[in-house]
Amino acid sequence: MWGEPGRLGSRAGGADGGEPGRLGSRREGGPAAHPQWVPPGRVTAGPGNRNQDGGSSPGAGPSRARPEGEEPGETPAEPTQMNEAPGPEMPSQPPADASPGSPDRGDVSVVIVGVPGCGKSALLNAARGLAEDDARAAPLGAPASSGGPVLYPDPARPNLLLWELPLTEGEGPARWLAEGDVVVLATDGLFGASHARLAQEARGAGKTVHFARTKADLDLHTLRRLLGGRYDRARALDALRAACAQSLAAHGLGEPPPVVFLVSGHEPQELDGPLLRQALVGDVRVYERVLHPVVSGFEQISEREVAEIQEAYELGGLAEVVTRVQCSLETLWNARLDVAVTGESGAGKSTFVNALRGLGDEDEGAAQTGVTETTAQPTAYPYPGYPNVTLWDLPGIGTPSFRADCYLEAVEFPRYDFFIILASERFKENHVRLAQAIVEQGKRFYFVRAKVDNDLEATRRRKNPPEEEEVLEEIRRDCRERLSQAGLGDTKVFLLSSFEIEKYDFQAFEDTLERELPGHKRHAFLLSLPNLSGAIIEKKRLLLHQEVWKVALVSSLVAAVPLPGLAFTCDVSILLRKLAAYRQDFGLDAASLARLAERAGKPLEVLRAEVHSVLGRGINKEVVIGLLGKATGGGLVVVNFFFHRIPIYGALASGGISFHTTYSMLSQCLEELAADSQRVLVKAFDSEV
């Protein structure tokens, strides 16, 4: 009987009978094998290893006395030294007040993988040191998860995050294992080829791999019933370990001899459950020294937003959270911005309005231009694709039909968020009077000295022309002096050319508006700007990334329906809407590309060839589902961050992977579209812009 170890592990294991791996395998730059663990077959008696009848018997693995005050299941000894192979770059030291197990020391993701029904829930409880009846324990016998990882945080160590992952066919398990730090391969039978493949891939990626044989108590119970008085618990445990070791060796993982944790299906604290926790805590101590804190690389969520989410959750649960976040997004997306452009007749207001909107004077939707006053009443010109952002071309001041003293009333002053006062020559009395009236009524204005390209061209015809910057500085000085004489010395003046809008003071002009506008209007203003420079594209990327977590949250929770081929649910209509907006924000929709091609004098197909991303070439429901299915890169890291930052995230994470898969997909698309936009811009003007 004892010479037939295969019979002890004869219960069906994985898809092919099980999976190999090697406990404590050395990782590239990661923790070494734990030397205090005894190899299989060398067991020692120890307290806490009680048999199925409630009596004590020899332990299933090494044991040690626990000093007073030490946390159960932990050992004060650090794991052995790091492997000498090159490892991850050591980050800066954690904060001095960061206690062991704090997220400030870096999160450690442990992925527990096995076929559905193999006993992963009991294994999770053993790994977290929880009894079966603990309210925080993973439920035993629960239906299998949908296919993606499910989070079970450790109650004692906030930076130890355990993930349950079903072992299925295809690339799914390997994809998620690649994002974990520690892998625990579980089987209730023998380890087989699929386990071996995953173990070798994980070890090749420098990860720590552990092996767990679940439901070992059922094997012991069966043997005791069959053998009666001949039953010897210690020999049974030895045989079970030997069977598991042989199955691992059969797949090339026999040297050094693998260590397998035997875990009880109903009493997580029996058999090797405490030793498994001890091993994982040892891994955490090592990884805390090499992992960056969880917030690295992600946007900060404000304390106000955290408080509002917590309040909403307490008032109405997840439904109230979704409602508030959705309202926040709609307020942002629907914000109106109305900008008045005014000045004397012939100053070039209409051309300036067209230039700010990225249009030529002959383009469809352009403001009418001419050498005489062409604007008889305030005329709205929305930004292409952004109907809520409008430039208003106002009638010229000082014309026979409008006087400065009643001008603001005539143009419906309250309608506008701020004014741009345009002058093509020196600032005159009409400009000053209008500025003073605007200030008196509590609104902002900005002076723009237009047509500076004409001034520069005139100076170039001189016999000894001055440097360009000297001419520009002379114009600035003259404007400041005249404004100062009128009591407007703090007024900002910007020198611009409507025919080369991206030159001269345009960047300073854009930066000033961005800085001084209220938050939601700043968002609308920045996204509406034509992609005239790499700096604008980068600002858009950063701005849009700040809302990705909100879009992912709403999409994951509101009106969610299962999607074909995906192991989670989300609202594709929300994603379609936002991804289409991304394409437009970066100027990659058909209309934007056509306008840029005409302006740059390049064939449209030449610019389209610089669009490399799938989303940049087109968008529909099938494209979005395909992008979700391929979303990778920091999925577990993302959820670790939000678990610590968002107070209700525990309720989301244990429900599946939809949030952080959606978050990863949106983030990846944002990066790819921004890169496409940069390439298109460089190609359009044959230079870095």
Side-chain angles (χ1 to χ4, degrees), residues 110-138:
V110 177
V111 184
I112 296 178
V113 61
V115 297
C118 76
K120 295 191 297 297
S121 295
L123 181 58
L124 275 160
N125 294 335
R128 296 189 297 153
L130 298 177
E132 181 181 347
D133 59 355
D134 192 299
R136 299 163 295 181

PDB file of all heavy atoms in Angstrom, residues 110-138:
ATOM      1  N   VAL A 110      -0.167  37.745  -4.458  1.00  0.00           N
ATOM      2  CA  VAL A 110      -0.026  36.291  -4.463  1.00  0.00           C
ATOM      3  C   VAL A 110      -1.182  35.721  -5.269  1.00  0.00           C
ATOM      4  O   VAL A 110      -2.349  35.943  -4.930  1.00  0.00           O
ATOM      5  CB  VAL A 110      -0.037  35.719  -3.036  1.00  0.00           C
ATOM      6  CG1 VAL A 110       0.031  34.195  -3.077  1.00  0.00           C
ATOM      7  CG2 VAL A 110       1.110  36.287  -2.223  1.00  0.00           C
ATOM      8  N   VAL A 111      -0.882  34.999  -6.339  1.00  0.00           N
ATOM      9  CA  VAL A 111      -1.912  34.423  -7.196  1.00  0.00           C
ATOM     10  C   VAL A 111      -2.006  32.938  -6.902  1.00  0.00           C
ATOM     11  O   VAL A 111      -1.032  32.202  -7.080  1.00  0.00           O
ATOM     12  CB  VAL A 111      -1.601  34.661  -8.683  1.00  0.00           C
ATOM     13  CG1 VAL A 111      -2.747  34.139  -9.543  1.00  0.00           C
ATOM     14  CG2 VAL A 111      -1.381  36.145  -8.954  1.00  0.00           C
ATOM     15  N   ILE A 112      -3.180  32.492  -6.438  1.00  0.00           N
ATOM     16  CA  ILE A 112      -3.425  31.080  -6.147  1.00  0.00           C
ATOM     17  C   ILE A 112      -4.245  30.517  -7.297  1.00  0.00           C
ATOM     18  O   ILE A 112      -5.375  30.955  -7.539  1.00  0.00           O
ATOM     19  CB  ILE A 112      -4.164  30.921  -4.811  1.00  0.00           C
ATOM     20  CG1 ILE A 112      -3.273  31.431  -3.666  1.00  0.00           C
ATOM     21  CG2 ILE A 112      -4.562  29.475  -4.584  1.00  0.00           C
ATOM     22  CD1 ILE A 112      -3.916  31.372  -2.306  1.00  0.00           C
ATOM     23  N   VAL A 113      -3.679  29.562  -8.019  1.00  0.00           N
ATOM     24  CA  VAL A 113      -4.305  29.079  -9.238  1.00  0.00           C
ATOM     25  C   VAL A 113      -4.526  27.575  -9.160  1.00  0.00           C
ATOM     26  O   VAL A 113      -3.684  26.825  -8.670  1.00  0.00           O
ATOM     27  CB  VAL A 113      -3.455  29.445 -10.475  1.00  0.00           C
ATOM     28  CG1 VAL A 113      -2.074  28.825 -10.407  1.00  0.00           C
ATOM     29  CG2 VAL A 113      -4.151  29.048 -11.764  1.00  0.00           C
ATOM     30  N   GLY A 114      -5.683  27.140  -9.628  1.00  0.00           N
ATOM     31  CA  GLY A 114      -6.036  25.728  -9.668  1.00  0.00           C
ATOM     32  C   GLY A 114      -7.359  25.573 -10.381  1.00  0.00           C
ATOM     33  O   GLY A 114      -8.107  26.539 -10.564  1.00  0.00           O
ATOM     34  N   VAL A 115      -7.675  24.323 -10.784  1.00  0.00           N
ATOM     35  CA  VAL A 115      -8.928  24.104 -11.501  1.00  0.00           C
ATOM     36  C   VAL A 115     -10.102  24.363 -10.571  1.00  0.00           C
ATOM     37  O   VAL A 115      -9.983  24.239  -9.346  1.00  0.00           O
ATOM     38  CB  VAL A 115      -9.004  22.664 -12.054  1.00  0.00           C
ATOM     39  CG1 VAL A 115      -7.911  22.425 -13.063  1.00  0.00           C
ATOM     40  CG2 VAL A 115      -8.958  21.648 -10.929  1.00  0.00           C
ATOM     41  N   PRO A 116     -11.258  24.754 -11.102  1.00  0.00           N
ATOM     42  CA  PRO A 116     -12.437  24.952 -10.251  1.00  0.00           C
ATOM     43  C   PRO A 116     -12.752  23.696  -9.448  1.00  0.00           C
ATOM     44  O   PRO A 116     -12.710  22.580  -9.964  1.00  0.00           O
ATOM     45  CB  PRO A 116     -13.546  25.269 -11.269  1.00  0.00           C
ATOM     46  CG  PRO A 116     -12.826  25.847 -12.448  1.00  0.00           C
ATOM     47  CD  PRO A 116     -11.522  25.105 -12.519  1.00  0.00           C
ATOM     48  N   GLY A 117     -13.036  23.900  -8.165  1.00  0.00           N
ATOM     49  CA  GLY A 117     -13.401  22.790  -7.308  1.00  0.00           C
ATOM     50  C   GLY A 117     -12.248  22.066  -6.652  1.00  0.00           C
ATOM     51  O   GLY A 117     -12.454  21.079  -5.935  1.00  0.00           O
ATOM     52  N   CYS A 118     -11.013  22.549  -6.863  1.00  0.00           N
ATOM     53  CA  CYS A 118      -9.867  21.835  -6.293  1.00  0.00           C
ATOM     54  C   CYS A 118      -9.580  22.232  -4.848  1.00  0.00           C
ATOM     55  O   CYS A 118      -8.661  21.690  -4.231  1.00  0.00           O
ATOM     56  CB  CYS A 118      -8.618  22.039  -7.148  1.00  0.00           C
ATOM     57  SG  CYS A 118      -7.837  23.662  -6.945  1.00  0.00           S
ATOM     58  N   GLY A 119     -10.327  23.179  -4.279  1.00  0.00           N
ATOM     59  CA  GLY A 119     -10.112  23.540  -2.883  1.00  0.00           C
ATOM     60  C   GLY A 119      -9.343  24.831  -2.690  1.00  0.00           C
ATOM     61  O   GLY A 119      -8.689  25.016  -1.661  1.00  0.00           O
ATOM     62  N   LYS A 120      -9.429  25.754  -3.668  1.00  0.00           N
ATOM     63  CA  LYS A 120      -8.684  27.007  -3.547  1.00  0.00           C
ATOM     64  C   LYS A 120      -9.202  27.868  -2.401  1.00  0.00           C
ATOM     65  O   LYS A 120      -8.442  28.614  -1.788  1.00  0.00           O
ATOM     66  CB  LYS A 120      -8.743  27.788  -4.859  1.00  0.00           C
ATOM     67  CG  LYS A 120      -8.056  27.112  -6.032  1.00  0.00           C
ATOM     68  CD  LYS A 120      -7.915  28.026  -7.231  1.00  0.00           C
ATOM     69  CE  LYS A 120      -9.252  28.458  -7.789  1.00  0.00           C
ATOM     70  NZ  LYS A 120     -10.058  27.326  -8.293  1.00  0.00           N
ATOM     71  N   SER A 121     -10.520  27.785  -2.106  1.00  0.00           N
ATOM     72  CA  SER A 121     -11.072  28.614  -1.031  1.00  0.00           C
ATOM     73  C   SER A 121     -10.474  28.239   0.316  1.00  0.00           C
ATOM     74  O   SER A 121     -10.087  29.111   1.110  1.00  0.00           O
ATOM     75  CB  SER A 121     -12.598  28.474  -1.000  1.00  0.00           C
ATOM     76  OG  SER A 121     -13.175  28.989  -2.179  1.00  0.00           O
ATOM     77  N   ALA A 122     -10.395  26.936   0.616  1.00  0.00           N
ATOM     78  CA  ALA A 122      -9.774  26.499   1.867  1.00  0.00           C
ATOM     79  C   ALA A 122      -8.302  26.893   1.892  1.00  0.00           C
ATOM     80  O   ALA A 122      -7.761  27.278   2.936  1.00  0.00           O
ATOM     81  CB  ALA A 122      -9.921  24.986   2.024  1.00  0.00           C
ATOM     82  N   LEU A 123      -7.664  26.811   0.745  1.00  0.00           N
ATOM     83  CA  LEU A 123      -6.259  27.202   0.661  1.00  0.00           C
ATOM     84  C   LEU A 123      -6.096  28.695   0.930  1.00  0.00           C
ATOM     85  O   LEU A 123      -5.166  29.124   1.630  1.00  0.00           O
ATOM     86  CB  LEU A 123      -5.723  26.846  -0.730  1.00  0.00           C
ATOM     87  CG  LEU A 123      -4.258  27.155  -1.020  1.00  0.00           C
ATOM     88  CD1 LEU A 123      -3.349  26.459  -0.027  1.00  0.00           C
ATOM     89  CD2 LEU A 123      -3.914  26.735  -2.444  1.00  0.00           C
ATOM     90  N   LEU A 124      -7.002  29.508   0.394  1.00  0.00           N
ATOM     91  CA  LEU A 124      -6.969  30.947   0.651  1.00  0.00           C
ATOM     92  C   LEU A 124      -7.123  31.241   2.141  1.00  0.00           C
ATOM     93  O   LEU A 124      -6.441  32.108   2.693  1.00  0.00           O
ATOM     94  CB  LEU A 124      -8.093  31.637  -0.125  1.00  0.00           C
ATOM     95  CG  LEU A 124      -7.796  32.007  -1.577  1.00  0.00           C
ATOM     96  CD1 LEU A 124      -9.091  32.216  -2.341  1.00  0.00           C
ATOM     97  CD2 LEU A 124      -6.939  33.258  -1.636  1.00  0.00           C
ATOM     98  N   ASN A 125      -8.014  30.527   2.793  1.00  0.00           N
ATOM     99  CA  ASN A 125      -8.212  30.740   4.225  1.00  0.00           C
ATOM    100  C   ASN A 125      -6.968  30.348   5.012  1.00  0.00           C
ATOM    101  O   ASN A 125      -6.575  31.046   5.959  1.00  0.00           O
ATOM    102  CB  ASN A 125      -9.429  29.954   4.701  1.00  0.00           C
ATOM    103  CG  ASN A 125     -10.724  30.477   4.083  1.00  0.00           C
ATOM    104  OD1 ASN A 125     -10.800  31.644   3.685  1.00  0.00           O
ATOM    105  ND2 ASN A 125     -11.729  29.630   3.989  1.00  0.00           N
ATOM    106  N   ALA A 126      -6.341  29.238   4.620  1.00  0.00           N
ATOM    107  CA  ALA A 126      -5.113  28.827   5.295  1.00  0.00           C
ATOM    108  C   ALA A 126      -4.010  29.854   5.088  1.00  0.00           C
ATOM    109  O   ALA A 126      -3.274  30.206   6.016  1.00  0.00           O
ATOM    110  CB  ALA A 126      -4.671  27.457   4.773  1.00  0.00           C
ATOM    111  N   ALA A 127      -3.903  30.362   3.867  1.00  0.00           N
ATOM    112  CA  ALA A 127      -2.854  31.336   3.560  1.00  0.00           C
ATOM    113  C   ALA A 127      -3.059  32.641   4.310  1.00  0.00           C
ATOM    114  O   ALA A 127      -2.106  33.364   4.598  1.00  0.00           O
ATOM    115  CB  ALA A 127      -2.802  31.591   2.059  1.00  0.00           C
ATOM    116  N   ARG A 128      -4.310  32.962   4.625  1.00  0.00           N
ATOM    117  CA  ARG A 128      -4.607  34.203   5.342  1.00  0.00           C
ATOM    118  C   ARG A 128      -4.771  33.990   6.839  1.00  0.00           C
ATOM    119  O   ARG A 128      -5.066  34.934   7.573  1.00  0.00           O
ATOM    120  CB  ARG A 128      -5.878  34.844   4.774  1.00  0.00           C
ATOM    121  CG  ARG A 128      -5.735  35.280   3.319  1.00  0.00           C
ATOM    122  CD  ARG A 128      -6.923  36.102   2.870  1.00  0.00           C
ATOM    123  NE  ARG A 128      -8.169  35.330   2.903  1.00  0.00           N
ATOM    124  CZ  ARG A 128      -9.371  35.869   3.067  1.00  0.00           C
ATOM    125  NH1 ARG A 128      -9.498  37.177   3.228  1.00  0.00           N
ATOM    126  NH2 ARG A 128     -10.449  35.114   3.086  1.00  0.00           N
ATOM    127  N   GLY A 129      -4.601  32.743   7.300  1.00  0.00           N
ATOM    128  CA  GLY A 129      -4.691  32.460   8.729  1.00  0.00           C
ATOM    129  C   GLY A 129      -6.090  32.579   9.282  1.00  0.00           C
ATOM    130  O   GLY A 129      -6.268  32.948  10.449  1.00  0.00           O
ATOM    131  N   LEU A 130      -7.106  32.271   8.468  1.00  0.00           N
ATOM    132  CA  LEU A 130      -8.494  32.418   8.882  1.00  0.00           C
ATOM    133  C   LEU A 130      -9.165  31.064   9.043  1.00  0.00           C
ATOM    134  O   LEU A 130      -8.939  30.143   8.234  1.00  0.00           O
ATOM    135  CB  LEU A 130      -9.274  33.245   7.858  1.00  0.00           C
ATOM    136  CG  LEU A 130      -8.813  34.684   7.638  1.00  0.00           C
ATOM    137  CD1 LEU A 130      -9.647  35.340   6.541  1.00  0.00           C
ATOM    138  CD2 LEU A 130      -8.898  35.489   8.925  1.00  0.00           C
ATOM    139  N   ALA A 131      -9.991  30.938  10.042  1.00  0.00           N
ATOM    140  CA  ALA A 131     -10.794  29.742  10.220  1.00  0.00           C
ATOM    141  C   ALA A 131     -11.975  29.774   9.258  1.00  0.00           C
ATOM    142  O   ALA A 131     -12.373  30.826   8.753  1.00  0.00           O
ATOM    143  CB  ALA A 131     -11.286  29.647  11.663  1.00  0.00           C
ATOM    144  N   GLU A 132     -12.561  28.599   9.038  1.00  0.00           N
ATOM    145  CA  GLU A 132     -13.652  28.493   8.070  1.00  0.00           C
ATOM    146  C   GLU A 132     -14.851  29.349   8.451  1.00  0.00           C
ATOM    147  O   GLU A 132     -15.544  29.882   7.584  1.00  0.00           O
ATOM    148  CB  GLU A 132     -14.074  27.024   7.951  1.00  0.00           C
ATOM    149  CG  GLU A 132     -15.191  26.766   6.966  1.00  0.00           C
ATOM    150  CD  GLU A 132     -15.567  25.289   6.911  1.00  0.00           C
ATOM    151  OE1 GLU A 132     -14.797  24.455   7.440  1.00  0.00           O
ATOM    152  OE2 GLU A 132     -16.632  24.990   6.346  1.00  0.00           O
ATOM    153  N   ASP A 133     -15.105  29.497   9.769  1.00  0.00           N
ATOM    154  CA  ASP A 133     -16.274  30.242  10.214  1.00  0.00           C
ATOM    155  C   ASP A 133     -16.005  31.730  10.403  1.00  0.00           C
ATOM    156  O   ASP A 133     -16.879  32.473  10.846  1.00  0.00           O
ATOM    157  CB  ASP A 133     -16.825  29.648  11.512  1.00  0.00           C
ATOM    158  CG  ASP A 133     -15.781  29.659  12.629  1.00  0.00           C
ATOM    159  OD1 ASP A 133     -14.619  30.036  12.361  1.00  0.00           O
ATOM    160  OD2 ASP A 133     -16.124  29.268  13.768  1.00  0.00           O
ATOM    161  N   ASP A 134     -14.807  32.197  10.055  1.00  0.00           N
ATOM    162  CA  ASP A 134     -14.495  33.619  10.152  1.00  0.00           C
ATOM    163  C   ASP A 134     -15.290  34.378   9.090  1.00  0.00           C
ATOM    164  O   ASP A 134     -15.399  33.941   7.941  1.00  0.00           O
ATOM    165  CB  ASP A 134     -12.993  33.840   9.954  1.00  0.00           C
ATOM    166  CG  ASP A 134     -12.555  35.250  10.336  1.00  0.00           C
ATOM    167  OD1 ASP A 134     -13.057  36.208   9.714  1.00  0.00           O
ATOM    168  OD2 ASP A 134     -11.714  35.384  11.239  1.00  0.00           O
ATOM    169  N   ALA A 135     -15.853  35.530   9.460  1.00  0.00           N
ATOM    170  CA  ALA A 135     -16.665  36.307   8.521  1.00  0.00           C
ATOM    171  C   ALA A 135     -15.864  36.755   7.306  1.00  0.00           C
ATOM    172  O   ALA A 135     -16.432  37.027   6.242  1.00  0.00           O
ATOM    173  CB  ALA A 135     -17.250  37.529   9.236  1.00  0.00           C
ATOM    174  N   ARG A 136     -14.547  36.847   7.445  1.00  0.00           N
ATOM    175  CA  ARG A 136     -13.697  37.296   6.335  1.00  0.00           C
ATOM    176  C   ARG A 136     -13.188  36.143   5.479  1.00  0.00           C
ATOM    177  O   ARG A 136     -12.467  36.354   4.496  1.00  0.00           O
ATOM    178  CB  ARG A 136     -12.511  38.075   6.889  1.00  0.00           C
ATOM    179  CG  ARG A 136     -12.887  39.321   7.668  1.00  0.00           C
ATOM    180  CD  ARG A 136     -11.738  39.820   8.521  1.00  0.00           C
ATOM    181  NE  ARG A 136     -11.407  38.842   9.568  1.00  0.00           N
ATOM    182  CZ  ARG A 136     -10.451  39.008  10.481  1.00  0.00           C
ATOM    183  NH1 ARG A 136      -9.746  40.135  10.461  1.00  0.00           N
ATOM    184  NH2 ARG A 136     -10.206  38.087  11.382  1.00  0.00           N
ATOM    185  N   ALA A 137     -13.542  34.897   5.851  1.00  0.00           N
ATOM    186  CA  ALA A 137     -13.033  33.732   5.140  1.00  0.00           C
ATOM    187  C   ALA A 137     -13.677  33.600   3.763  1.00  0.00           C
ATOM    188  O   ALA A 137     -14.818  34.020   3.542  1.00  0.00           O
ATOM    189  CB  ALA A 137     -13.285  32.471   5.960  1.00  0.00           C
ATOM    190  N   ALA A 138     -12.930  33.001   2.826  1.00  0.00           N
ATOM    191  CA  ALA A 138     -13.499  32.691   1.516  1.00  0.00           C
ATOM    192  C   ALA A 138     -14.524  31.579   1.691  1.00  0.00           C
ATOM    193  O   ALA A 138     -14.263  30.596   2.380  1.00  0.00           O
ATOM    194  CB  ALA A 138     -12.393  32.249   0.560  1.00  0.00           C
TER     195      ALA A 138
END
